[in-house]
Amino acid sequence: MALIPEYRDDVPRVERFNWLARFSHWGHTVTFLLCLFTGLVLFLDGVNWLAAIFGGYRGAGLVHRVSAVGMTLVIGIGMVFGFKGIIEWIKDLLRFGMNDIIFVMKFPLEFLGFPVKIPPQTRFNGGEKGNSMVTPTCVFLLVLSGYIMWFPAIFPVGLVRVSYWTHDIAMIGATCMVCMHAYLGSFHPGSGESFWGMWKGTVRADWAQHHHAVWYEETYGDKKAE
Amino acid sequence: MANLANLYDVSKCTACRGCQVACKNWNQLPAVIEPFKGNYQTHEDTNGDTFTIIKFFESEDPVDGLKWDFIKRNCMHCLDPECMKVCPKQAYTKTSWGATLHDPDKCIGCQYCAAACPFEIPKYRKREDVITKCTMCADRVEAGMQPACAATCPAGALTFGDRDELIQVAEARAKFLRANGFPRATIYGKLELGGLNNLYVLTDTPDKFGLPVNPKASGNVTFWQDWVQPYFGWLIPLMLTASATSFVTSRLIASKNGEHGEHGEGGHE
Ligand code: HEM
Ligand code: HEM
Ligand code: SF4
Ligand code: SF4
Ligand code: SF4
């Protein structure tokens, strides 16, 4: 079985993520991972080989700060220019319903590859809704605590002390999610086309109809609002 | 080797600040000029180029009237130093005789130690992006001399020597002071935070001198160092393993069920 399904443009395709969403997603993916590996240098205490990749501990600290600013900018740009999209995203998250609960309950089996029947999903399925809430929350906490740790002199010392464990717990939360999410968004057979939605912007119409039936019908199908 | 300590006796100090000058001189620290703040204190606090200062406290007491207290502040050389626990680069070491030393060549300027120290002693030196603090003049002590501040003190307020002996000296002095007009006189550094190598004889309670009455390691820092760092991180490899497991099992199950090439076709109603 191939790692990712072949990208086919000989079949009908529909748009899933616009240019800005994809720029923002891959932008914060790269900067997040750079922050992660440069941060782990300190979290793991004494992993000199990891530090060496970034030119030593000071180099890692510099890369951490440059990527942090890069990530802040990418997310900021995505939020300002993609404001409408963010609102739609939040609206979809608020549609958390029975179909999402069933999705989440059956998900462990689906995750391991067992065939399960899952009710129709909106634009983001139950798992993606969870990811959409947990990961951005952790990233928000990382950014907040990160800047406090960067400039400890201008904040009360109690807040700086809280930031230390907050930064680490948020890092662990976000990274755990990303460990699953990166796999689900690429090599997980059950996810199929979704990688192309984020990479090229479109997914096969039949896949969209199958995996996100509610969204497909409302956006491209019979229930499309005029 | 027994612990060596620096005993500072508030009741003998005249606030001449000779120790500040001697410290600057021995440690080759450039002058830091701060604006006049309306009292005798030279600097807001110790800073990246100032390892020790005399702090001044003026207060009105209903019984004693106007009070003018001062105290020498610098690193306490804690027996169990918090700064050393949080440093991700192991830049701190304890000498066999009790000084807490900081190695600027190892330091990366993360300033964790500055926030962790219960006495807020380590200070950031921006121009070099490192932390600095009092060294207990380890270079002098190991060459058989006294710390520069103790050697220079004209009033005999600073005594450097064996910690156990100095505690007895301090206790005797506090007892004398209590009997002679300072009923609240006390010593500081014997038991605080598990013991300090910087001992004080105080003429009043520690809070009158800006010292924490019961210094404690911050619970936030302890939680971060003793729980989050060693244990919570294991969740990450656990999640990676889950994904790796799924990578294998989902492909095995798919080939058993005879699904080839088609991704994600099953599963939805
Ligand atoms: C705006 C975003 C961020 C800022 C401003 C920021 C800032 C910082 C700062 C100043 C430090 C202290 C260490 C040093 O001086 O190099 C630090 C440590 C760290 N950061 Fe970040 N960071 C950000 C985002 C992230 C992200 C996205 C991750 C990982 C997913 C991360 C993971 C870590 C880790 C693991 C540490 C080490 C903590 C420890 O020693 O326990 N950071 N960060
Ligand atoms: C290298 C790894 C990554 C891959 C392959 C990947 C792939 C994807 C894909 C394919 C989607 C679209 C899913 C859909 O069809 O709805 C997506 C969405 C998303 N990604 Fe990523 N991603 C990666 C890393 C990250 C990172 C590091 C973050 C954040 C820290 C992140 C946050 C999100 C969020 C919040 C969504 C929207 C919610 C969702 O669909 O789960 N991704 N990603
Ligand atoms: S006073 Fe602060 S800097 Fe000095 S040894 Fe104690 S914890 Fe470390
Ligand atoms: S600032 Fe320097 S000495 Fe302090 S914790 Fe960080 S690396 Fe260690
Ligand atoms: S012991 Fe040395 S470094 Fe510390 S305050 Fe005295 S003179 Fe300065």
Side-chain angles (χ1 to χ4, degrees):
Chain A
M1 189 181 277
L3 285 175
I4 294 177
E6 180 195 357
Y7 179 80
R8 290 175 58 180
D9 45 18
D10 56 337
V11 293
R13 305 189 70 85
V14 293
E15 184 182 60
R16 183 143 170 88
F17 293 108
N18 66 20
W19 189 87
L20 187 68
R22 285 178 284 143
F23 161 80
S24 202
H25 179 266
W26 295 116
H28 70 58
T29 297
V30 169
T31 47
F32 177 92
L33 293 176
L34 281 172
C35 276
L36 175 61
F37 287 109
T38 50
L40 285 179
V41 164
L42 294 187
F43 181 73
L44 298 173
D45 273 15
V47 274
N48 294 336
W49 58 271
L50 187 57
I53 297 174
F54 303 99
Y57 284 81
R58 284 195 179 273
L62 184 67
V63 174
H64 197 78
R65 284 164 174 77
V66 172
S67 322
V69 172
M71 190 174 77
T72 313
L73 287 176
V74 168
I75 294 176
I77 290 171
M79 281 177 47
V80 170
F81 294 101
F83 189 68
K84 253 182 76 184
I86 303 268
I87 296 296
E88 274 169 32
W89 186 21
I90 294 173
K91 273 191 188 154
D92 195 67
L93 301 184
L94 294 177
R95 286 175 79 178
F96 197 91
M98 209 50 206
N99 57 342
D100 293 306
I101 293 171
I102 295 174
F103 181 97
V104 174
M105 278 171 24
K106 290 191 174 175
F107 180 73
L109 288 176
E110 139 93 22
F111 183 65
L112 291 174
F114 294 101
V116 287
K117 287 281 170 222
I118 284 167
Q121 299 289 310
T122 63
R123 178 162 187 186
F124 294 99
N125 64 37
E128 290 169 340
K129 285 195 177 84
N131 183 44
S132 302
M133 290 184 251
V134 175
T135 307
T137 306
C138 288
V139 169
F140 174 74
L141 289 174
L142 275 165
V143 173
L144 209 67
S145 56
Y147 284 110
I148 294 172
M149 287 159 70
W150 190 347
F151 305 104
I154 58 174
F155 296 97
V157 65
L159 190 61
V160 178
R161 289 169 178 164
V162 170
S163 298
Y164 289 146
W165 60 259
T166 306
H167 204 68
D168 278 357
I169 289 184
M171 176 278 285
I172 292 162
T175 306
C176 284
M177 294 304 283
V178 168
C179 284
M180 312 268 276
H181 165 78
Y183 162 70
L184 283 164
S186 54
F187 305 146
H188 181 57
S191 308
E193 279 280 301
S194 69
F195 177 79
W196 297 119
M198 199 43 104
W199 191 251
K200 298 239 184 189
T202 59
V203 288
R204 276 165 49 178
D206 59 342
W207 177 88
Q209 197 168 15
H210 191 74
H211 282 250
H212 299 276
V214 179
W215 171 66
Y216 182 83
E217 296 303 339
E218 287 173 359
T219 318
Y220 303 106
D222 301 338
K223 293 187 196 137
K224 184 172 165 185
E226 288 304 329
Chain B
M1 201 177 187
N3 266 326
L4 299 180
N6 218 358
L7 169 65
Y8 166 82
D9 186 340
V10 157
S11 67
K12 291 183 180 167
C13 177
T14 64
C16 74
R17 290 164 291 188
C19 51
Q20 280 187 228
V21 178
C23 178
K24 287 256 175 187
N25 187 32
W26 177 258
N27 292 296
Q28 296 285 295
L29 300 168
V32 182
I33 315 285
E34 287 184 6
F36 180 61
K37 288 271 170 57
N39 68 1
Y40 284 89
Q41 198 164 312
T42 50
H43 305 87
E44 191 71 31
D45 198 353
T46 52
N47 56 51
D49 290 313
T50 310
F51 297 169
T52 188
I53 62 164
I54 303 289
K55 284 196 174 181
F56 289 77
F57 299 92
E58 285 162 46
S59 62
E60 279 238 41
D61 190 287
V63 183
D64 304 336
L66 188 68
K67 289 195 62 191
W68 195 44
D69 293 318
F70 34 80
I71 186 173
K72 179 182 190 288
R73 292 299 303 272
N74 50 263
C75 174
M76 301 290 205
H77 299 280
C78 313
L79 297 187
D80 184 20
E82 282 299 299
C83 54
M84 200 160 133
K85 289 182 202 156
V86 299
C87 179
K89 280 285 273 128
Q90 284 82 42
Y92 284 96
T93 46
K94 276 308 256 186
T95 65
S96 59
W97 48 275
T100 308
L101 288 192
H102 170 261
D103 180 354
D105 293 333
K106 285 191 182 160
C107 178
I108 52 166
C110 70
Q111 302 173 59
Y112 291 173
C113 53
C117 169
F119 302 101
E120 296 181 43
I121 289 299
K123 291 281 154 35
Y124 186 55
R125 181 184 280 174
K126 205 170 173 204
R127 85 186 109 86
E128 285 166 1
D129 188 23
V130 293
I131 281 291
T132 64
K133 69 165 195 71
C134 156
T135 62
M136 215 174 193
C137 287
D139 45 355
R140 290 172 61 97
V141 173
E142 277 165 14
M145 291 184 281
Q146 292 189 29
C149 52
T152 212
C153 181
L158 281 167
T159 325
F160 184 75
D162 181 81
R163 184 168 184 268
D164 298 334
E165 284 171 22
L166 286 180
I167 286 175
Q168 299 196 346
V169 171
E171 274 172 341
R173 176 71 183 169
K175 199 173 160 197
F176 170 82
L177 289 170
R178 278 197 294 273
N180 288 278
F182 298 97
R184 291 181 298 278
T186 180
I187 68 166
Y188 192 87
K190 182 188 177 187
L191 300 172
E192 278 76 11
L193 212 72
L196 313 172
N197 278 328
N198 199 67
L199 300 167
Y200 286 105
V201 172
L202 304 173
T203 49
D204 208 331
T205 47
D207 54 301
K208 294 290 188 319
F209 298 91
L211 287 169
V213 177
N214 182 16
K216 273 205 284 284
S218 157
N220 282 307
V221 172
T222 310
F223 174 58
W224 170 46
Q225 287 294 315
D226 296 353
W227 293 96
V228 181
Q229 280 206 347
Y231 302 119
F232 288 29
W234 287 104
L235 268 174
I236 296 171
L238 205 71
M239 291 300 164
L240 270 178
T241 313
S243 285
T245 309
S246 159
F247 186 90
V248 176
T249 56
S250 56
R251 279 169 169 74
L252 283 178
I253 293 168
S255 64
K256 216 168 150 193
N257 293 352
E259 287 175 30
H260 293 288
E262 286 296 340
H263 283 260
E265 286 309 302
H268 284 264
E269 279 163 15

